[in-house]
Amino acid sequence: SQTIHQWPATLVQPVGSPLSLECTVEGTSNPNLYWYRQAAGRGLQLLFYSVGIGQISSEVPQNLSASRPQDRQFILSSKKLLLSDSGFYLCASGRSNQPQHFGDGTRLSIL
Amino acid sequence: LAKTTQPISMDSYEGQEVNITCSHNNIATNDYITWYQQFPSQGPRFIIQGYKTKVTNEVASLFIPADRKSSTLSLPRVSLSDTAVYYCLVISSGGYNKLIFGAGTRLAVHP
């Protein structure tokens, strides 16, 4: 079965600082990969998805970017964090027609 | 992508059966119905998926009427550990499996 690794579990960053969140996947190959963000008490919002190395689709224009340098590695980045970037970030892996598997997320607080 | 509507919250007691209904009036022929469970500070976890009639696994049952415009997640004999947010999603069988999460149903199980 798939395992999704995300780190760090929690992160506190000042406004204007850069960000790099990493997600790695075990137990599958050539998965579709996804980044979601969840605000407190809300559902998940899809930010980016990738169907292969170097292929990134953005769902919501924003201060963030994503990259997929390897088949099972997905990175979420920002050059300058905003207060509105606070939230719970989740990485997911899946294939078409199959349920997605989620990591345990990174809780990001911007001060 | 079909929009889903489900109750914001529900309360139950240990040992009772809980039924959470989701409406998806605009479901397409190729769409599947999928339910996820999410505990605080964790990623969503896949519970069950179905296309029509009834699906049962070790965790839950999913009932889907013939018109497929709604579905009901049934949790038998809930325990305190079933307190969580439950999300109903409609997923296309083709494409990139982009999940659209609503606010979900917050289930509270009481002693």
Side-chain angles (χ1 to χ4, degrees), chain A residues 33-98:
Chain A
L33 297 176
Y34 308 83
W35 277 111
Y36 293 86
R37 178 171 60 199
Q38 186 173 32
R42 308 288 294 273
L44 282 69
Q45 179 188 35
L46 179 63
L47 302 176
F48 301 94
Y49 69 94
S50 170
V51 299
I53 296 173
Q55 301 179 61
I56 309 295
S57 296
S58 173
E59 288 294 294
V60 181
Q62 59 209 318
N63 186 42
L64 302 169
S65 62
S67 61
R68 185 170 177 176
Q70 299 181 47
D71 180 46
R72 289 173 288 176
Q73 184 185 28
F74 205 23
I75 298 172
L76 184 69
S77 304
S78 174
K79 292 182 180 178
K80 281 188 176 182
L81 286 168
L82 307 172
L83 284 174
S84 58
D85 291 324
S86 292
F88 189 43
Y89 288 84
L90 288 153
C91 176
S93 169
R95 294 174 177 271
S96 295
N97 307 333
Q98 299 297 319

Side-chain angles (χ1 to χ4, degrees), chain B residues 8-58:
Chain B
I8 294 175
S9 63
M10 295 182 67
D11 289 274
S12 183
Y13 293 90
E14 286 188 290
Q16 289 188 335
E17 179 184 75
V18 171
N19 295 310
I20 305 175
T21 298
C22 177
S23 65
H24 26 78
N25 292 319
N26 297 323
I27 192 168
T29 303
N30 294 334
D31 291 343
Y32 286 77
I33 298 144
T34 305
W35 286 79
Y36 283 82
Q37 174 193 56
Q38 187 180 25
F39 298 113
S41 298
Q42 293 186 23
R45 182 175 70 103
F46 169 79
I47 300 176
I48 197 166
Q49 179 172 289
Y51 184 79
K52 62 180 179 180
T53 62
K54 178 183 175 182
V55 179
T56 297
N57 61 22
E58 64 278 3

